[in-house]
Amino acid sequence: GAVVSQHPSWVICKSGTSVKIECRSLDFQATTMFWYRQFPKQSLMLMATSNEGSKATYEQGVEKDKFLINHASLTLSTLTVTSAHPEDSSFYICSARVWTGNSYEQYFGPGTRLTVT
Amino acid sequence: AQSVTQPDIHITVSEGASLELRCNYSYGATPYLFWYVQSPGQGLQLLLKYFSGDTLVQGIKGFEAEFKRSQSSFNLRKPSVHWSDAAEYFCAVGSYNQGGKLIFGQGTELSVKP
């Protein structure tokens, strides 16, 4: 149980275009999902918290108009990178938060590698 | 400020040798502590977690970690490393008060020599 998928796993897009990444919880519902960005050989940086039915909460320094997050259902959150530029190339990872009864845990998707040319 | 420090960026051990990966944290609230493993180009897999109770926790793949409040540490150990353990390891801290948001350490890359 507690599987999170991401689609696509790998995408190349041209500079100036937009790309959408999907994050799905396959066998459970998640009112809260998180989006992370990871540069090569670096740690995960939290970009935003995605809440079902409400606006996402962005971390300081993350452009909300560039990284659009939509959490329209309890099993799907999407991240759209708008007007992508080469510096947006990165590994994007989502996670779904669950309450285990005595703590929060996150289940992570396999990640999406974005290359902007 | 809240932070997680993994002092070792890269560690190399021989197959069959013991392993200890260090993690220190600075966190205001009562922390949940996690260790995750990431293989190249993959997402994160939870190895183990601590939130209360016994300070020595057992995880998957033969890993264990010990929470030491006085040292603000949560070091990961394995008595005998296998070649398949080569990966990136991340320590993370979160709390109920922060809605489960995690702060990650910088990661430790583990290489295993035959």
Coordinates of all heavy atoms in Angstrom, one line a residue, chain B residues 44-107:
Chain B
L44 N 12.4 8.5 -3.0 CA 13.0 8.1 -1.7 C 12.2 7.0 -1.1 O 11.0 6.9 -1.1 CB 12.9 9.3 -0.7 CG 14.0 10.3 -0.8 CD1 14.0 11.1 -2.1 CD2 14.0 11.3 0.4
Q45 N 12.9 6.1 -0.4 CA 12.3 4.9 0.3 C 12.6 5.1 1.8 O 13.8 5.4 2.1 CB 12.9 3.6 -0.2 CG 12.3 2.4 0.5 CD 12.9 1.1 0.0 OE1 14.0 1.0 -0.5 NE2 12.2 0.0 0.2
L46 N 11.6 5.0 2.6 CA 11.8 5.1 4.0 C 12.5 3.9 4.6 O 12.1 2.7 4.4 CB 10.4 5.2 4.7 CG 10.4 5.3 6.2 CD1 11.1 6.6 6.7 CD2 9.0 5.3 6.7
L47 N 13.6 4.1 5.3 CA 14.3 3.0 6.0 C 13.8 2.8 7.4 O 13.6 1.7 7.8 CB 15.8 3.4 6.0 CG 16.6 3.3 4.8 CD1 18.0 3.8 5.0 CD2 16.6 1.9 4.2
L48 N 13.6 3.9 8.1 CA 13.1 3.8 9.5 C 12.7 5.2 10.0 O 13.0 6.2 9.3 CB 14.1 3.2 10.4 CG 15.6 3.7 10.3 CD1 15.8 5.0 11.0 CD2 16.5 2.7 10.9
K49 N 12.0 5.2 11.1 CA 11.5 6.5 11.6 C 11.5 6.4 13.2 O 11.4 5.3 13.7 CB 10.1 6.8 11.1 CG 9.1 5.7 11.6 CD 7.7 6.0 11.1 CE 6.8 4.9 11.5 NZ 5.4 5.1 11.0
Y50 N 11.6 7.5 13.8 CA 11.4 7.6 15.2 C 10.5 8.8 15.6 O 10.7 9.9 15.0 CB 12.8 7.8 15.9 CG 12.6 8.2 17.4 CD1 12.5 7.1 18.3 CD2 12.6 9.5 17.8 CE1 12.3 7.4 19.7 CE2 12.4 9.8 19.2 CZ 12.2 8.7 20.1 OH 12.0 9.0 21.4
F51 N 9.5 8.5 16.4 CA 8.8 9.7 16.9 C 8.6 9.6 18.4 O 8.3 10.6 19.1 CB 7.4 9.8 16.2 CG 6.6 8.5 16.2 CD1 5.8 8.1 17.2 CD2 6.8 7.6 15.1 CE1 5.1 6.9 17.1 CE2 6.1 6.4 15.0 CZ 5.2 6.1 16.1
S52 N 8.7 8.4 19.1 CA 8.6 8.3 20.5 C 9.0 6.9 20.9 O 9.2 6.1 20.1 CB 7.2 8.7 21.0 OG 6.3 7.7 20.6
G53 N 9.1 6.7 22.2 CA 9.3 5.4 22.7 C 10.8 5.0 22.7 O 11.7 5.8 22.9
D54 N 11.0 3.7 22.4 CA 12.4 3.1 22.4 C 13.3 3.9 21.5 O 12.9 4.2 20.3 CB 12.3 1.7 21.9 CG 13.6 0.9 22.2 OD1 14.6 1.6 22.5 OD2 13.6 -0.3 22.1
T55 N 14.4 4.4 22.0 CA 15.3 5.2 21.2 C 16.1 4.5 20.1 O 16.7 5.1 19.3 CB 16.2 6.0 22.1 OG1 17.0 5.1 22.9 CG2 15.4 7.0 23.0
L56 N 16.1 3.2 20.2 CA 16.8 2.4 19.2 C 15.7 1.8 18.3 O 14.8 1.0 18.7 CB 17.6 1.3 19.8 CG 18.4 0.4 18.8 CD1 19.4 1.2 18.1 CD2 19.0 -0.8 19.6
V57 N 15.7 2.2 17.0 CA 14.6 1.8 16.1 C 15.2 0.9 15.0 O 16.3 1.1 14.5 CB 13.9 3.0 15.5 CG1 13.1 3.7 16.5 CG2 14.8 3.9 14.8
Q58 N 14.4 -0.1 14.7 CA 14.8 -1.0 13.6 C 14.1 -0.7 12.3 O 13.0 -0.3 12.3 CB 14.5 -2.5 14.0 CG 15.1 -2.9 15.3 CD 16.6 -2.9 15.3 OE1 17.2 -3.3 14.3 NE2 17.3 -2.5 16.3
G59 N 14.8 -0.8 11.2 CA 14.2 -0.5 10.0 C 14.3 -1.7 9.0 O 14.6 -2.8 9.4
I60 N 14.1 -1.3 7.7 CA 14.2 -2.4 6.7 C 15.6 -2.6 6.3 O 16.5 -1.8 6.6 CB 13.3 -2.0 5.5 CG1 13.8 -0.7 4.8 CG2 11.8 -1.9 5.9 CD1 13.2 -0.4 3.5
K61 N 15.9 -3.7 5.6 CA 17.2 -4.0 5.0 C 18.3 -4.1 6.1 O 19.4 -3.9 5.8 CB 17.6 -2.9 4.0 CG 16.6 -2.8 2.8 CD 17.1 -1.8 1.8 CE 16.1 -1.7 0.7 NZ 16.6 -0.8 -0.4
G62 N 17.9 -4.4 7.3 CA 18.9 -4.6 8.4 C 19.5 -3.3 9.0 O 20.4 -3.3 9.7
F63 N 18.9 -2.2 8.7 CA 19.3 -0.9 9.3 C 18.7 -0.6 10.6 O 17.6 -1.1 10.9 CB 19.0 0.3 8.3 CG 19.8 0.3 7.1 CD1 19.5 -0.3 5.9 CD2 21.0 1.0 7.2 CE1 20.3 -0.2 4.8 CE2 21.9 1.1 6.0 CZ 21.5 0.5 4.9
E64 N 19.4 0.1 11.4 CA 18.9 0.6 12.7 C 19.4 2.0 13.0 O 20.4 2.4 12.3 CB 19.3 -0.3 13.9 CG 20.7 -0.3 14.2 CD 21.1 -1.2 15.4 OE1 20.3 -2.1 15.7 OE2 22.1 -0.9 16.0
A65 N 18.7 2.7 13.8 CA 19.2 4.0 14.2 C 18.9 4.3 15.6 O 17.9 3.7 16.2 CB 18.5 5.1 13.3
E66 N 19.7 5.1 16.3 CA 19.5 5.4 17.7 C 19.3 6.9 17.8 O 20.1 7.7 17.4 CB 20.7 5.0 18.5 CG 20.5 5.2 20.0 CD 21.6 4.5 20.8 OE1 22.7 4.1 20.2 OE2 21.4 4.4 22.0
F67 N 18.2 7.3 18.5 CA 18.0 8.7 18.8 C 18.6 9.0 20.2 O 18.4 8.4 21.2 CB 16.4 8.9 18.9 CG 16.0 10.2 19.5 CD1 16.4 11.4 18.8 CD2 15.2 10.3 20.6 CE1 16.0 12.6 19.3 CE2 14.8 11.6 21.1 CZ 15.2 12.7 20.4
K68 N 19.5 10.0 20.1 CA 20.1 10.5 21.3 C 19.7 12.0 21.5 O 20.3 12.9 20.9 CB 21.6 10.4 21.3 CG 22.1 8.9 21.3 CD 23.6 8.8 21.3 CE 24.0 7.3 21.4 NZ 25.5 7.1 21.4
R69 N 18.8 12.2 22.4 CA 18.3 13.6 22.6 C 19.4 14.5 23.1 O 19.5 15.7 22.6 CB 17.1 13.6 23.6 CG 16.4 15.0 23.7 CD 15.3 14.9 24.8 NE 14.3 13.9 24.5 CZ 13.3 14.2 23.7 NH1 13.1 15.4 23.1 NH2 12.3 13.3 23.5
S70 N 20.2 14.1 24.0 CA 21.2 14.9 24.6 C 22.2 15.4 23.5 O 22.9 16.4 23.7 CB 21.9 14.2 25.7 OG 22.6 13.0 25.2
Q71 N 22.4 14.6 22.5 CA 23.4 14.9 21.4 C 22.7 15.4 20.2 O 23.4 15.7 19.2 CB 24.2 13.7 21.1 CG 25.1 13.2 22.3 CD 25.8 11.9 21.9 OE1 26.1 11.6 20.8 NE2 26.3 11.2 22.9
S72 N 21.4 15.5 20.2 CA 20.6 15.9 19.0 C 21.0 15.1 17.8 O 21.3 15.6 16.7 CB 20.7 17.4 18.7 OG 20.2 18.1 19.8
S73 N 21.1 13.8 18.0 CA 21.6 13.0 16.9 C 20.7 11.8 16.6 O 19.9 11.4 17.5 CB 23.0 12.4 17.2 OG 23.0 11.5 18.3
F74 N 20.8 11.3 15.4 CA 20.0 10.2 15.0 C 20.8 9.4 13.9 O 20.6 9.5 12.7 CB 18.6 10.7 14.4 CG 17.6 9.6 14.1 CD1 17.2 8.7 15.1 CD2 17.1 9.4 12.9 CE1 16.3 7.7 14.9 CE2 16.1 8.5 12.6 CZ 15.7 7.6 13.6
N75 N 21.8 8.7 14.4 CA 22.7 8.0 13.5 C 22.2 6.7 13.0 O 21.6 5.9 13.8 CB 24.1 7.8 14.2 CG 24.8 9.1 14.5 OD1 24.4 10.2 14.0 ND2 25.8 9.1 15.4
L76 N 22.5 6.4 11.8 CA 22.0 5.2 11.1 C 23.2 4.2 11.1 O 24.3 4.6 10.8 CB 21.6 5.5 9.7 CG 21.1 4.4 8.8 CD1 19.7 4.0 9.3 CD2 21.1 4.8 7.3
R77 N 22.8 2.9 11.4 CA 23.9 1.9 11.5 C 23.4 0.6 10.7 O 22.2 0.4 10.6 CB 24.2 1.6 12.9 CG 24.7 2.7 13.7 CD 25.3 2.2 15.0 NE 24.3 1.7 15.9 CZ 23.9 2.3 17.0 NH1 24.3 3.4 17.4 NH2 23.0 1.7 17.8
K78 N 24.4 -0.1 10.3 CA 24.2 -1.4 9.7 C 25.4 -2.3 10.0 O 26.5 -1.8 9.8 CB 23.9 -1.4 8.2 CG 23.5 -2.7 7.6 CD 23.0 -2.6 6.2 CE 22.5 -4.0 5.7 NZ 21.9 -3.9 4.4
P79 N 25.2 -3.4 10.6 CA 26.4 -4.2 11.0 C 27.2 -4.8 9.9 O 28.4 -5.0 10.0 CB 25.8 -5.4 11.8 CG 24.3 -5.4 11.5 CD 24.0 -4.0 11.0
S80 N 26.6 -5.1 8.7 CA 27.3 -5.7 7.6 C 26.7 -5.1 6.3 O 25.6 -5.5 5.9 CB 27.2 -7.2 7.7 OG 27.9 -7.8 6.6
V81 N 27.5 -4.4 5.6 CA 27.0 -3.7 4.4 C 27.1 -4.6 3.2 O 28.0 -5.4 3.0 CB 27.8 -2.4 4.1 CG1 27.6 -1.8 2.8 CG2 27.5 -1.4 5.2
H82 N 26.1 -4.5 2.3 CA 26.0 -5.3 1.1 C 26.2 -4.3 -0.1 O 25.9 -3.1 0.0 CB 24.6 -6.0 1.0 CG 24.5 -7.0 -0.1 ND1 23.9 -6.6 -1.3 CD2 24.9 -8.3 -0.2 CE1 23.9 -7.7 -2.1 NE2 24.5 -8.7 -1.5
W83 N 26.7 -4.9 -1.2 CA 27.0 -4.0 -2.3 C 25.7 -3.3 -2.8 O 25.8 -2.1 -3.3 CB 27.5 -4.8 -3.5 CG 26.6 -5.8 -4.1 CD1 26.5 -7.1 -3.7 CD2 25.5 -5.6 -5.0 NE1 25.5 -7.8 -4.4 CE2 24.9 -6.8 -5.3 CE3 25.1 -4.5 -5.8 CZ2 23.8 -7.0 -6.2 CZ3 24.1 -4.6 -6.7 CH2 23.4 -5.9 -6.9
S84 N 24.5 -3.9 -2.6 CA 23.3 -3.2 -3.0 C 22.9 -2.1 -2.1 O 21.9 -1.3 -2.4 CB 22.2 -4.3 -3.0 OG 22.0 -4.8 -1.7
D85 N 23.6 -1.8 -1.0 CA 23.4 -0.7 -0.1 C 23.9 0.6 -0.7 O 23.7 1.7 -0.2 CB 23.9 -0.9 1.3 CG 23.2 -2.1 2.0 OD1 22.0 -2.2 1.8 OD2 23.9 -2.8 2.7
A86 N 24.7 0.5 -1.7 CA 25.3 1.7 -2.3 C 24.2 2.6 -2.8 O 23.4 2.2 -3.6 CB 26.3 1.4 -3.5
A87 N 24.1 3.8 -2.3 CA 23.0 4.8 -2.6 C 23.3 6.1 -1.9 O 24.3 6.2 -1.2 CB 21.7 4.2 -2.2
E88 N 22.3 7.0 -2.0 CA 22.3 8.2 -1.2 C 21.4 8.1 -0.1 O 20.3 7.6 -0.2 CB 21.9 9.4 -2.1 CG 22.0 10.8 -1.6 CD 23.4 11.3 -1.8 OE1 24.1 10.8 -2.7 OE2 23.8 12.3 -1.1
Y89 N 21.8 8.5 1.1 CA 21.0 8.4 2.3 C 20.7 9.8 2.9 O 21.6 10.6 3.0 CB 21.8 7.6 3.4 CG 21.9 6.1 3.0 CD1 22.8 5.7 2.1 CD2 21.0 5.2 3.5 CE1 22.9 4.4 1.7 CE2 21.1 3.8 3.1 CZ 22.0 3.5 2.2 OH 22.1 2.1 1.8
F90 N 19.5 10.0 3.2 CA 19.0 11.3 3.7 C 18.4 11.1 5.1 O 17.5 10.3 5.3 CB 18.0 11.9 2.8 CG 18.6 12.4 1.5 CD1 18.5 11.6 0.3 CD2 19.2 13.6 1.3 CE1 19.0 12.0 -0.9 CE2 19.7 14.0 0.1 CZ 19.6 13.2 -1.0
C91 N 18.8 12.0 6.0 CA 18.2 12.1 7.3 C 17.2 13.3 7.2 O 17.5 14.3 6.5 CB 19.3 12.4 8.3 SG 18.7 12.6 10.0
A92 N 16.1 13.2 7.8 CA 15.1 14.2 7.8 C 14.4 14.4 9.1 O 14.2 13.4 9.9 CB 14.0 13.9 6.7
V93 N 13.9 15.6 9.4 CA 13.2 15.9 10.7 C 11.9 16.6 10.4 O 11.9 17.4 9.4 CB 14.1 16.6 11.6 CG1 14.5 18.0 11.0 CG2 13.5 16.8 13.0
G94 N 10.9 16.3 11.1 CA 9.6 17.0 10.9 C 8.9 17.0 12.3 O 9.4 16.5 13.3
S95 N 7.7 17.5 12.3 CA 6.9 17.5 13.5 C 5.5 17.6 13.2 O 5.1 18.1 12.1 CB 7.4 18.7 14.4 OG 6.8 19.9 14.0
Y96 N 4.7 17.3 14.2 CA 3.2 17.5 14.1 C 2.9 18.9 13.9 O 2.0 19.3 13.1 CB 2.5 16.9 15.3 CG 1.1 17.1 15.3 CD1 0.2 16.2 14.6 CD2 0.5 18.2 16.0 CE1 -1.1 16.4 14.6 CE2 -0.9 18.4 16.0 CZ -1.7 17.5 15.3 OH -3.0 17.7 15.3
N97 N 3.6 19.8 14.7 CA 3.3 21.2 14.6 C 3.5 21.8 13.3 O 3.0 22.8 12.9 CB 4.1 22.0 15.7 CG 3.7 21.6 17.1 OD1 2.6 21.0 17.3 ND2 4.5 21.8 18.1
Q98 N 4.4 21.2 12.5 CA 4.7 21.7 11.2 C 3.9 21.0 10.1 O 4.3 21.1 8.9 CB 6.2 21.6 10.9 CG 7.1 22.4 11.8 CD 6.9 23.9 11.5 OE1 6.8 24.3 10.4 NE2 6.9 24.7 12.5
G99 N 2.9 20.3 10.5 CA 2.1 19.6 9.5 C 2.8 18.5 8.8 O 2.4 18.1 7.7
G100 N 3.8 17.9 9.4 CA 4.6 16.9 8.8 C 5.6 17.3 7.7 O 6.2 16.5 7.1
K101 N 5.8 18.6 7.6 CA 6.8 19.1 6.6 C 8.1 18.6 7.1 O 8.5 18.6 8.3 CB 6.8 20.6 6.6 CG 5.6 21.2 5.8 CD 5.5 22.7 6.0 CE 6.7 23.5 5.5 NZ 6.5 24.9 5.6
L102 N 9.0 18.2 6.1 CA 10.3 17.7 6.5 C 11.4 18.6 6.1 O 11.3 19.3 5.0 CB 10.5 16.3 5.7 CG 9.6 15.2 6.1 CD1 9.9 13.9 5.3 CD2 9.7 14.8 7.6
I103 N 12.4 18.6 6.9 CA 13.7 19.3 6.6 C 14.7 18.2 6.4 O 14.8 17.3 7.2 CB 14.1 20.2 7.7 CG1 13.1 21.3 7.9 CG2 15.5 20.8 7.4 CD1 13.4 22.2 9.1
F104 N 15.3 18.2 5.2 CA 16.3 17.2 4.9 C 17.7 17.6 5.1 O 18.1 18.8 4.9 CB 16.1 16.8 3.4 CG 14.9 15.9 3.1 CD1 13.7 16.5 2.9 CD2 15.1 14.5 3.1 CE1 12.6 15.7 2.6 CE2 14.0 13.7 2.8 CZ 12.7 14.3 2.6
G105 N 18.6 16.6 5.5 CA 20.0 16.9 5.5 C 20.5 16.9 4.1 O 19.8 16.6 3.1
Q106 N 21.8 17.1 4.0 CA 22.4 17.3 2.6 C 22.6 15.9 1.9 O 22.9 15.9 0.7 CB 23.8 18.0 2.8 CG 23.7 19.3 3.4 CD 23.9 19.3 4.9 OE1 23.4 18.4 5.6 NE2 24.7 20.2 5.5
G107 N 22.5 14.9 2.7 CA 22.7 13.6 2.1 C 24.1 13.0 2.3 O 25.1 13.8 2.3

